[in-house]
């Protein structure tokens, strides 16, 4: 009985164990299937996300193949008669434009290095494709552009330039503010557009309109006849425009600029070699610093409205062979009216009133930022350019020389001096001219350092174009 009972009882337990194992297997199988499905779905999402990110990154990645395809597409449009420009034939037919390399694609901007008739140039466009730009609306309602006279083109172009620069007609008509004859920037360029005997073709108008939608082109094109401190526009084809090739600054270079690329030995070149090579480098730095001061004064006083630089860093400036400082990236440069519109916004603290390198104060009663910029171009240049240049660490043994100590103190004071004449007078500070005073101090100290170093005192000078001349609407 007992053995049989034991066997019988064991069989019952064995059956239950088998049932439990079977149920467990089914449960594990369901869980495994669910886990596998979740893992597969997660892997699918991850891989697709990776592909999407890769495509988005690679689509804006700078490659020679892509750059050449962009230029080939431009030449195809030129061949079809859709675009034109004063460098199209050299680029697409005669082969006088030699592709060198892609520099970068950043935030949609395409920048390519090339050589045009043996001279290095930079090709730029805000957008990759010509079709990405808004067409001139009047062309949508006319079969041909023959009905548009040069005066019509002046009218539309002037409106677009004013809109791009943030200048109203009444702003341009003002004669105050030190601008005088340089006041009507848009009209100044517009006058050149009228010197034409025949009407503009559809390709010319479409190409012009794509260029005017690029703020940097408009800014450089309008100012290049008024200032030596902006890059020269040399020509264009469709939506691409060419500017002079200049060596940009670098934050990692202790002198910011590659001075060996612009150093031209003079009659005393042999005497200044060897042991005095370092001093010659400092002398060049002093000349460049003086050019920075000249640029700041020019942008503050020589136009109807101040010109504000809101992105001051070494990479946005270059030097010509005569050591003239040139602004080569002006996407963040604004005249006073547009600067006020940008700064005039809601706020809860001063931190809300910062727009890159341009800042104002927050009026806590009104919860509104002041439309007037509180810092200045000079202050930011002293902070970001001059302080690293003239720091005791870089100067070494020369850091203790009286003039160098005086320069360091002036640079320190400059980096802490907010605003300029107008702000101090409006605020009732009683010490108008703080910005002008520190500017004059820096100018005097740097001039004395140049004379002390045996400099000739000659410098500056405008860049002289040779060969091809770019006219206003040989755009």
């Amino acid at each position: 009985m007992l053995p049989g009972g034991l066997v019988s009882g064991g069989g019952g337990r064995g059956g239950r164990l088998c049932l439990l194992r079977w149920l467990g297997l089914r449960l594990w199988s369901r869980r495994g299937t669910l886990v596998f499905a979740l893992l597969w779905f997660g892997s699918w999402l991850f891989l697709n996300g990776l592909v999407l990110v890769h495509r988005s990154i690679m689509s804006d990645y700078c490659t020679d193949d892509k750059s050449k395809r962009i230029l080939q597409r431009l030449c195809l449009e030129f061949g079809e008669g859709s675009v034109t420009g004063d460098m199209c034939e050299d680029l697409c037919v005669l082969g006088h434009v030699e592709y060198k390399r892609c520099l970068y694609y950043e935030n949609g901007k395409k920048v390519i290095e090339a050589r045009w008739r043996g001279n290095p140039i930079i090709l730029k466009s805000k957008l990759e494709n010509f079709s990405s730009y808004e067409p001139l609306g009047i062309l949508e309602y006319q079969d041909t552009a023959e009905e548009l006279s040069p005066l019509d083109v002046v009218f539309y172009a002037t409106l677009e330039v004013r809109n791009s620069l943030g200048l109203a007609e009444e702003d341009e008509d003002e004669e105050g503010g030190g601008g005088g004859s340089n006041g009507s920037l848009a009209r100044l360029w517009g006058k050149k557009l009228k010197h034409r005997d025949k009407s503009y073709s559809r390709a010319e108008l479409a190409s012009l309109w794509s260029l005017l939608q690029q703020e940097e082109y408009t800014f450089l094109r309008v100012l290049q006849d008024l200032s030596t401190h902006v890059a020269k526009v040399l020509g264009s084809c469709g939506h691409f425009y060419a500017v002079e090739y200049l060596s940009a600054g670098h934050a990692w270079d202790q002198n910011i600029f590659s001075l060996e690329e612009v150093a031209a030995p003079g009659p005393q070149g042999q005497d200044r070699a060897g042991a005095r090579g370092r001093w010659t480098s400092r002398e060049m730095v002093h000349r460049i610093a003086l050019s920075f001061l000249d640029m700041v004064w020019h942008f503050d006083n020589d136009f109807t409205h101040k010109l504000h630089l809101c992105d001051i860093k070494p990479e946005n400036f270059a030097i010509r062979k005569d050591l003239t400082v040139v602004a080569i990236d002006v996407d963040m440069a604004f005249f006073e009216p547009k600067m006020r519109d940008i700064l005039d916004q809601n706020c809860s603290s001063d931190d809300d009133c910062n727009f890159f390198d341009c800042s104002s104060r927050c009026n806590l009663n009104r919860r509104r930022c002041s439309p007037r910029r509180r810092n200045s171009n000079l202050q930011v240049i002293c902070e970001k350019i001059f302080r690293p240049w003239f720091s005791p660490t870089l100067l070494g043994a020369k850091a203790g020389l009286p003039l160098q100590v005086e320069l360091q103190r002036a640079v320190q004071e400059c980096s802490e001096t907010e605003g300029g004449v107008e702000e101090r007078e409006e605020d009732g500070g009683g010490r108008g001219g703080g910005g002008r005073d520190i500017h004059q101090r820096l100018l005097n100290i740097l001039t004395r350092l140049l004379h002390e170093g045996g400099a000739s005192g000659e410098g500056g000078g405008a860049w002289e174009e040779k060969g091809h001349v770019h006219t206003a609407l040989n755009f």
Side-chain angles (χ1 to χ4, degrees):
M1 293 288 297
L2 288 173
L6 287 173
V7 171
S8 176
R13 286 195 296 274
R16 287 194 296 272
L17 288 172
C18 288
L19 178 62
L20 290 174
R21 285 173 183 167
W22 182 79
L23 291 172
L25 183 63
R26 293 293 299 273
L27 290 173
W28 179 90
S29 177
R30 290 177 180 175
R31 287 177 182 169
T33 302
L34 180 62
V35 169
F36 176 78
L38 289 175
L39 286 174
W40 181 86
F41 183 68
S43 300
W44 181 82
L45 284 177
F46 174 76
L47 290 174
N48 276 274
L50 191 63
V51 169
L52 181 63
V53 171
H54 177 75
R55 284 179 178 174
S56 64
I57 292 176
M58 293 301 292
S59 66
D60 215 33
Y61 188 69
C62 193
T63 65
D64 288 335
D65 287 341
K66 184 171 183 178
S67 300
K68 290 178 180 179
R69 286 198 302 270
I70 292 173
L71 295 181
Q72 288 170 357
R73 191 182 310 128
L74 177 63
C75 286
L76 180 63
E77 291 168 331
F78 171 66
E80 295 171 347
S82 302
V83 303
T84 190
D86 56 356
M87 68 179 297
C88 283
E89 189 170 353
D90 281 359
L91 173 67
C92 304
V93 180
L94 302 177
H96 290 161
V97 178
E98 178 188 358
Y99 175 89
K100 299 298 291 184
R101 63 189 174 114
C102 172
L103 291 180
Y104 62 86
Y105 295 167
E106 184 178 357
N107 298 326
K109 180 190 290 187
K110 314 303 176 188
V111 183
I112 298 169
E113 180 183 344
R115 294 187 72 84
W116 187 10
R117 296 179 179 267
N119 298 313
I121 61 169
I122 300 296
L123 289 172
K124 288 186 173 185
S125 177
K126 185 178 180 179
L127 301 174
E128 178 179 323
N129 298 315
F130 179 74
S131 59
S132 300
Y133 292 93
E134 290 291 330
L136 178 59
I138 192 67
L139 296 181
E140 300 296 318
Y141 301 99
Q142 291 180 294
D143 294 332
T144 67
E146 296 300 325
E147 299 177 32
L148 283 178
S149 68
L151 287 177
D152 292 327
V153 175
V154 170
F155 174 75
Y156 288 112
T158 302
L159 288 180
E160 188 67 16
V161 169
R162 283 176 180 156
N163 179 65
S164 179
L165 298 180
L167 297 173
E169 185 172 1
E170 56 270 20
D171 294 328
E172 295 187 274
D173 289 337
E174 293 175 1
E175 294 298 327
S181 60
N182 292 341
S184 302
L185 295 177
R187 276 206 306 276
L188 179 67
W189 190 47
K191 287 178 181 177
K192 296 187 176 183
L193 301 182
K194 289 187 287 188
H195 297 303
R196 170 110 172 190
D197 297 330
K198 60 181 181 178
S199 299
Y200 295 102
S201 68
R202 293 182 66 89
E204 286 177 316
L205 291 173
S207 299
L208 170 63
W209 210 246
S210 69
L211 292 170
L212 291 180
Q213 291 175 58
Q214 303 179 58
E215 292 84 358
E216 183 175 78
Y217 171 85
T218 303
F219 184 93
L220 294 176
R221 189 63 199 87
V222 169
L223 288 190
Q224 74 171 36
D225 296 326
L226 305 176
S227 176
T228 61
H229 293 290
V230 296
K232 299 294 184 183
V233 179
L234 305 178
S236 67
C237 179
H239 57 302
F240 271 88
Y241 59 98
V243 298
E244 58 179 319
Y245 177 88
L246 296 169
S247 180
H250 298 284
W252 45 261
D253 192 323
Q254 67 176 11
N255 291 321
I256 295 182
F257 303 105
S258 300
L259 300 182
E260 62 274 6
E261 297 183 12
V262 296
Q268 300 177 336
Q270 297 297 325
D271 299 334
R272 292 193 173 187
R276 297 196 65 185
R278 176 67 179 170
W279 175 248
T280 302
S281 175
R282 297 310 299 172
E283 179 180 291
M284 294 172 68
V285 167
H286 295 150
R287 287 180 176 275
I288 297 170
L290 283 170
S291 187
F292 265 113
L293 292 178
D294 180 68
M295 180 188 71
V296 167
W297 183 266
H298 175 53
F299 287 172
D300 279 355
N301 298 281
D302 290 346
F303 306 123
T304 301
H305 299 289
K306 281 188 177 182
L307 179 61
H308 298 274
L309 304 177
C310 293
D311 189 12
I312 292 176
K313 57 186 179 184
E315 293 80 2
N316 288 347
F317 298 95
I319 51 175
R320 296 196 179 101
K321 290 185 178 181
D322 62 0
L323 303 183
T324 298
V325 172
V326 180
I328 58 174
D329 191 331
V330 291
D331 285 336
M332 300 292 288
F334 310 100
F335 285 103
E336 182 73 22
K338 198 165 187 176
M339 187 79 262
R340 286 174 173 263
D341 289 340
I342 292 171
L343 293 176
D344 189 13
Q345 58 184 328
N346 295 326
C347 64
S348 58
S349 68
D350 285 347
D351 291 338
D352 298 329
C353 301
N354 295 332
F355 182 76
F356 295 88
D357 289 327
C358 296
S359 62
S360 68
R361 289 191 176 90
C362 179
N363 186 323
L364 295 178
N365 294 327
R366 298 175 54 243
R367 296 284 180 176
R368 195 78 177 171
C369 294
S370 169
R372 178 175 290 279
R373 183 182 176 187
R374 73 173 178 180
N375 61 355
S376 65
N377 292 333
L378 179 61
Q379 181 184 1
V380 182
I381 285 174
C382 283
E383 176 67 27
K384 292 192 170 184
I385 307 292
F386 287 179
R387 285 183 70 173
W389 257 352
F390 306 122
S391 67
T393 305
L394 284 183
L395 291 173
K398 295 185 176 68
L401 296 176
L403 269 181
Q404 294 291 353
V405 172
E406 188 177 350
L407 177 60
Q408 293 164 35
R409 289 174 178 170
V411 169
Q412 179 66 29
E413 181 181 339
C414 171
S415 64
E416 297 171 354
T417 301
E418 294 185 352
V421 181
E422 293 85 351
E423 180 172 339
R424 288 173 177 267
E425 289 177 348
E426 284 188 7
D427 293 344
R431 285 185 57 213
R436 292 178 183 268
D437 290 345
I438 193 63
H439 185 282
Q440 190 62 44
R441 274 185 61 195
L442 288 169
L443 183 64
N444 291 339
I445 295 170
L446 287 167
T447 302
R448 286 158 60 195
L449 279 169
L450 272 180
H451 291 161
E452 186 180 82
S456 64
E458 298 174 359
W463 181 73
E464 296 181 1
E465 291 185 42
K466 295 181 180 179
H468 182 84
V469 177
H470 175 60
T471 57
L473 239 171
N474 278 334
F475 40 81

